[in-house]
mmCIF file of all heavy atoms in Angstrom:
data_model
loop_
_atom_site.group_PDB
_atom_site.id
_atom_site.type_symbol
_atom_site.label_atom_id
_atom_site.label_comp_id
_atom_site.label_asym_id
_atom_site.label_seq_id
_atom_site.Cartn_x
_atom_site.Cartn_y
_atom_site.Cartn_z
ATOM 1 N N GLN A 1 98.020 119.174 95.636
ATOM 2 C CA GLN A 1 98.258 117.850 95.054
ATOM 3 C C GLN A 1 97.241 116.904 95.659
ATOM 4 O O GLN A 1 97.158 116.769 96.874
ATOM 5 C CB GLN A 1 99.690 117.389 95.294
ATOM 6 C CG GLN A 1 100.162 117.512 96.724
ATOM 7 C CD GLN A 1 101.651 117.271 96.868
ATOM 8 O OE1 GLN A 1 102.200 116.340 96.274
ATOM 9 N NE2 GLN A 1 102.304 118.092 97.649
ATOM 10 N N GLU A 2 96.426 116.300 94.782
ATOM 11 C CA GLU A 2 95.339 115.492 95.311
ATOM 12 C C GLU A 2 94.940 114.359 94.382
ATOM 13 O O GLU A 2 95.173 114.406 93.179
ATOM 14 C CB GLU A 2 94.129 116.365 95.628
ATOM 15 C CG GLU A 2 93.624 117.180 94.478
ATOM 16 C CD GLU A 2 92.608 118.242 94.884
ATOM 17 O OE1 GLU A 2 92.347 118.431 96.085
ATOM 18 O OE2 GLU A 2 92.071 118.887 93.972
ATOM 19 N N LEU A 3 94.329 113.355 95.008
ATOM 20 C CA LEU A 3 93.666 112.265 94.317
ATOM 21 C C LEU A 3 92.179 112.571 94.393
ATOM 22 O O LEU A 3 91.664 112.859 95.482
ATOM 23 C CB LEU A 3 93.971 110.931 95.015
ATOM 24 C CG LEU A 3 93.121 109.725 94.618
ATOM 25 C CD1 LEU A 3 93.294 109.389 93.140
ATOM 26 C CD2 LEU A 3 93.465 108.531 95.495
ATOM 27 N N LYS A 4 91.483 112.545 93.243
ATOM 28 C CA LYS A 4 90.075 112.929 93.214
ATOM 29 C C LYS A 4 89.234 111.930 92.441
ATOM 30 O O LYS A 4 89.730 111.242 91.554
ATOM 31 C CB LYS A 4 89.888 114.286 92.517
ATOM 32 C CG LYS A 4 90.569 115.435 93.149
ATOM 33 C CD LYS A 4 90.156 116.755 92.522
ATOM 34 C CE LYS A 4 90.724 116.946 91.151
ATOM 35 N NZ LYS A 4 90.448 118.297 90.607
ATOM 36 N N ILE A 5 87.958 111.918 92.795
ATOM 37 C CA ILE A 5 86.924 111.329 91.946
ATOM 38 C C ILE A 5 86.036 112.496 91.532
ATOM 39 O O ILE A 5 85.562 113.251 92.388
ATOM 40 C CB ILE A 5 86.054 110.297 92.677
ATOM 41 C CG1 ILE A 5 86.902 109.137 93.188
ATOM 42 C CG2 ILE A 5 84.955 109.785 91.749
ATOM 43 C CD1 ILE A 5 86.115 108.152 94.051
ATOM 44 N N GLU A 6 85.848 112.651 90.235
ATOM 45 C CA GLU A 6 84.956 113.690 89.713
ATOM 46 C C GLU A 6 83.815 113.003 88.974
ATOM 47 O O GLU A 6 84.025 111.983 88.316
ATOM 48 C CB GLU A 6 85.697 114.616 88.750
ATOM 49 C CG GLU A 6 86.834 115.368 89.384
ATOM 50 C CD GLU A 6 87.637 116.182 88.391
ATOM 51 O OE1 GLU A 6 87.595 115.892 87.172
ATOM 52 O OE2 GLU A 6 88.334 117.104 88.835
ATOM 53 N N PHE A 7 82.633 113.584 89.062
ATOM 54 C CA PHE A 7 81.473 113.063 88.333
ATOM 55 C C PHE A 7 81.004 114.106 87.325
ATOM 56 O O PHE A 7 80.955 115.300 87.637
ATOM 57 C CB PHE A 7 80.336 112.721 89.303
ATOM 58 C CG PHE A 7 80.676 111.582 90.221
ATOM 59 C CD1 PHE A 7 81.068 111.819 91.524
ATOM 60 C CD2 PHE A 7 80.614 110.274 89.764
ATOM 61 C CE1 PHE A 7 81.384 110.774 92.370
ATOM 62 C CE2 PHE A 7 80.937 109.213 90.611
ATOM 63 C CZ PHE A 7 81.325 109.468 91.916
ATOM 64 N N TYR A 8 80.658 113.645 86.143
ATOM 65 C CA TYR A 8 80.236 114.498 85.036
ATOM 66 C C TYR A 8 78.885 114.035 84.507
ATOM 67 O O TYR A 8 78.609 112.839 84.469
ATOM 68 C CB TYR A 8 81.264 114.446 83.897
ATOM 69 C CG TYR A 8 82.571 115.080 84.262
ATOM 70 C CD1 TYR A 8 83.522 114.396 85.000
ATOM 71 C CD2 TYR A 8 82.852 116.382 83.884
ATOM 72 C CE1 TYR A 8 84.726 114.986 85.349
ATOM 73 C CE2 TYR A 8 84.050 116.980 84.236
ATOM 74 C CZ TYR A 8 84.978 116.276 84.961
ATOM 75 O OH TYR A 8 86.165 116.862 85.310
ATOM 76 N N SER A 9 78.086 114.998 84.054
ATOM 77 C CA SER A 9 76.805 114.643 83.452
ATOM 78 C C SER A 9 76.970 114.235 81.995
ATOM 79 O O SER A 9 76.123 113.544 81.445
ATOM 80 C CB SER A 9 75.815 115.808 83.562
ATOM 81 O OG SER A 9 76.317 116.942 82.896
ATOM 82 N N ASN A 10 78.044 114.684 81.371
ATOM 83 C CA ASN A 10 78.386 114.247 80.023
ATOM 84 C C ASN A 10 79.892 114.340 79.865
ATOM 85 O O ASN A 10 80.582 114.881 80.725
ATOM 86 C CB ASN A 10 77.643 115.047 78.944
ATOM 87 C CG ASN A 10 78.014 116.514 78.961
ATOM 88 O OD1 ASN A 10 79.177 116.862 78.855
ATOM 89 N ND2 ASN A 10 77.023 117.384 79.088
ATOM 90 N N ALA A 11 80.420 113.834 78.775
ATOM 91 C CA ALA A 11 81.870 113.748 78.603
ATOM 92 C C ALA A 11 82.543 115.101 78.420
ATOM 93 O O ALA A 11 83.752 115.203 78.571
ATOM 94 C CB ALA A 11 82.193 112.849 77.412
ATOM 95 N N TYR A 12 81.799 116.143 78.099
ATOM 96 C CA TYR A 12 82.431 117.420 77.770
ATOM 97 C C TYR A 12 82.045 118.552 78.714
ATOM 98 O O TYR A 12 82.448 119.682 78.516
ATOM 99 C CB TYR A 12 82.088 117.810 76.329
ATOM 100 C CG TYR A 12 82.459 116.728 75.367
ATOM 101 C CD1 TYR A 12 81.502 115.916 74.793
ATOM 102 C CD2 TYR A 12 83.795 116.479 75.075
ATOM 103 C CE1 TYR A 12 81.851 114.888 73.937
ATOM 104 C CE2 TYR A 12 84.153 115.445 74.221
ATOM 105 C CZ TYR A 12 83.184 114.662 73.649
ATOM 106 O OH TYR A 12 83.538 113.647 72.815
ATOM 107 N N GLY A 13 81.265 118.266 79.740
ATOM 108 C CA GLY A 13 80.811 119.312 80.644
ATOM 109 C C GLY A 13 81.737 119.510 81.825
ATOM 110 O O GLY A 13 82.810 118.916 81.933
ATOM 111 N N SER A 14 81.304 120.349 82.719
ATOM 112 C CA SER A 14 82.025 120.599 83.953
ATOM 113 C C SER A 14 81.649 119.543 84.987
ATOM 114 O O SER A 14 80.558 118.971 84.936
ATOM 115 C CB SER A 14 81.670 121.983 84.499
ATOM 116 O OG SER A 14 82.042 122.981 83.588
ATOM 117 N N ALA A 15 82.524 119.331 85.936
ATOM 118 C CA ALA A 15 82.241 118.375 87.003
ATOM 119 C C ALA A 15 81.012 118.834 87.779
ATOM 120 O O ALA A 15 80.867 120.020 88.079
ATOM 121 C CB ALA A 15 83.444 118.250 87.926
ATOM 122 N N ILE A 16 80.116 117.894 88.094
ATOM 123 C CA ILE A 16 78.930 118.233 88.880
ATOM 124 C C ILE A 16 79.138 117.888 90.353
ATOM 125 O O ILE A 16 78.381 118.339 91.209
ATOM 126 C CB ILE A 16 77.653 117.550 88.339
ATOM 127 C CG1 ILE A 16 77.820 116.018 88.291
ATOM 128 C CG2 ILE A 16 77.297 118.097 86.972
ATOM 129 C CD1 ILE A 16 76.549 115.275 87.900
ATOM 130 N N SER A 17 80.171 117.093 90.639
ATOM 131 C CA SER A 17 80.491 116.712 92.012
ATOM 132 C C SER A 17 81.915 116.178 92.036
ATOM 133 O O SER A 17 82.393 115.638 91.038
ATOM 134 C CB SER A 17 79.517 115.636 92.492
ATOM 135 O OG SER A 17 79.849 115.194 93.784
ATOM 136 N N ALA A 18 82.585 116.336 93.191
ATOM 137 C CA ALA A 18 83.942 115.807 93.328
ATOM 138 C C ALA A 18 84.238 115.527 94.791
ATOM 139 O O ALA A 18 83.670 116.159 95.686
ATOM 140 C CB ALA A 18 84.961 116.786 92.764
ATOM 141 N N ALA A 19 85.136 114.574 95.018
ATOM 142 C CA ALA A 19 85.663 114.269 96.344
ATOM 143 C C ALA A 19 87.160 114.088 96.180
ATOM 144 O O ALA A 19 87.625 113.568 95.165
ATOM 145 C CB ALA A 19 85.023 113.002 96.906
ATOM 146 N N ALA A 20 87.941 114.534 97.177
ATOM 147 C CA ALA A 20 89.397 114.508 97.036
ATOM 148 C C ALA A 20 90.079 114.165 98.355
ATOM 149 O O ALA A 20 89.515 114.367 99.431
ATOM 150 C CB ALA A 20 89.895 115.862 96.540
ATOM 151 N N VAL A 21 91.298 113.671 98.231
ATOM 152 C CA VAL A 21 92.170 113.451 99.373
ATOM 153 C C VAL A 21 93.512 114.111 99.047
ATOM 154 O O VAL A 21 94.002 114.032 97.914
ATOM 155 C CB VAL A 21 92.330 111.951 99.706
ATOM 156 C CG1 VAL A 21 92.974 111.179 98.584
ATOM 157 C CG2 VAL A 21 93.091 111.754 101.006
ATOM 158 N N ASP A 22 94.076 114.794 100.036
ATOM 159 C CA ASP A 22 95.339 115.525 99.887
ATOM 160 C C ASP A 22 96.518 114.558 99.832
ATOM 161 O O ASP A 22 96.522 113.535 100.527
ATOM 162 C CB ASP A 22 95.494 116.488 101.064
ATOM 163 C CG ASP A 22 96.737 117.326 100.960
ATOM 164 O OD1 ASP A 22 96.839 118.152 100.038
ATOM 165 O OD2 ASP A 22 97.639 117.144 101.818
ATOM 166 N N LEU A 23 97.526 114.881 99.031
ATOM 167 C CA LEU A 23 98.710 114.029 98.886
ATOM 168 C C LEU A 23 99.966 114.664 99.467
ATOM 169 O O LEU A 23 101.057 114.128 99.306
ATOM 170 C CB LEU A 23 98.938 113.708 97.403
ATOM 171 C CG LEU A 23 97.794 113.006 96.681
ATOM 172 C CD1 LEU A 23 98.113 112.876 95.190
ATOM 173 C CD2 LEU A 23 97.503 111.652 97.302
ATOM 174 N N SER A 24 99.849 115.803 100.140
ATOM 175 C CA SER A 24 101.040 116.535 100.582
ATOM 176 C C SER A 24 101.849 115.808 101.651
ATOM 177 O O SER A 24 103.004 116.142 101.880
ATOM 178 C CB SER A 24 100.661 117.931 101.072
ATOM 179 O OG SER A 24 99.806 117.849 102.193
ATOM 180 N N ASP A 25 101.279 114.782 102.297
ATOM 181 C CA ASP A 25 102.027 114.041 103.312
ATOM 182 C C ASP A 25 102.774 112.832 102.743
ATOM 183 O O ASP A 25 103.429 112.102 103.474
ATOM 184 C CB ASP A 25 101.103 113.601 104.441
ATOM 185 C CG ASP A 25 100.009 112.648 103.975
ATOM 186 O OD1 ASP A 25 99.725 112.588 102.761
ATOM 187 O OD2 ASP A 25 99.426 111.963 104.834
ATOM 188 N N VAL A 26 102.715 112.622 101.444
ATOM 189 C CA VAL A 26 103.399 111.491 100.812
ATOM 190 C C VAL A 26 104.890 111.780 100.755
ATOM 191 O O VAL A 26 105.303 112.888 100.420
ATOM 192 C CB VAL A 26 102.842 111.238 99.389
ATOM 193 C CG1 VAL A 26 103.661 110.185 98.662
ATOM 194 C CG2 VAL A 26 101.380 110.839 99.466
ATOM 195 N N GLY A 27 105.699 110.794 101.084
ATOM 196 C CA GLY A 27 107.150 110.943 101.065
ATOM 197 C C GLY A 27 107.818 109.823 100.304
ATOM 198 O O GLY A 27 107.224 109.241 99.389
ATOM 199 N N GLU A 28 109.046 109.493 100.720
ATOM 200 C CA GLU A 28 109.842 108.500 100.013
ATOM 201 C C GLU A 28 109.613 107.088 100.550
ATOM 202 O O GLU A 28 110.546 106.352 100.844
ATOM 203 C CB GLU A 28 111.314 108.873 100.059
ATOM 204 C CG GLU A 28 111.621 110.055 99.159
ATOM 205 C CD GLU A 28 113.100 110.356 99.063
ATOM 206 O OE1 GLU A 28 113.810 110.255 100.074
ATOM 207 O OE2 GLU A 28 113.535 110.717 97.955
ATOM 208 N N SER A 29 108.375 106.730 100.675
ATOM 209 C CA SER A 29 107.970 105.337 100.867
ATOM 210 C C SER A 29 106.582 105.239 100.240
ATOM 211 O O SER A 29 105.787 106.182 100.341
ATOM 212 C CB SER A 29 107.977 104.929 102.341
ATOM 213 O OG SER A 29 106.852 105.378 103.024
#
């Protein structure tokens, strides 16, 4: 489970780069 920024060279291609942060430590606050 993650929040990501992905970069694409066009609207229909594969991601050329990505950065992510894990969300597994999120709780009820």
Side-chain angles (χ1 to χ4, degrees):
Q1 49 190 316
E2 56 192 5
L3 167 62
K4 299 189 288 187
I5 299 174
E6 298 175 339
F7 294 101
Y8 292 81
S9 60
N10 63 56
Y12 305 105
S14 298
I16 57 174
S17 177
V21 62
D22 183 66
L23 302 175
S24 63
D25 62 341
V26 173
E28 287 186 321
S29 79

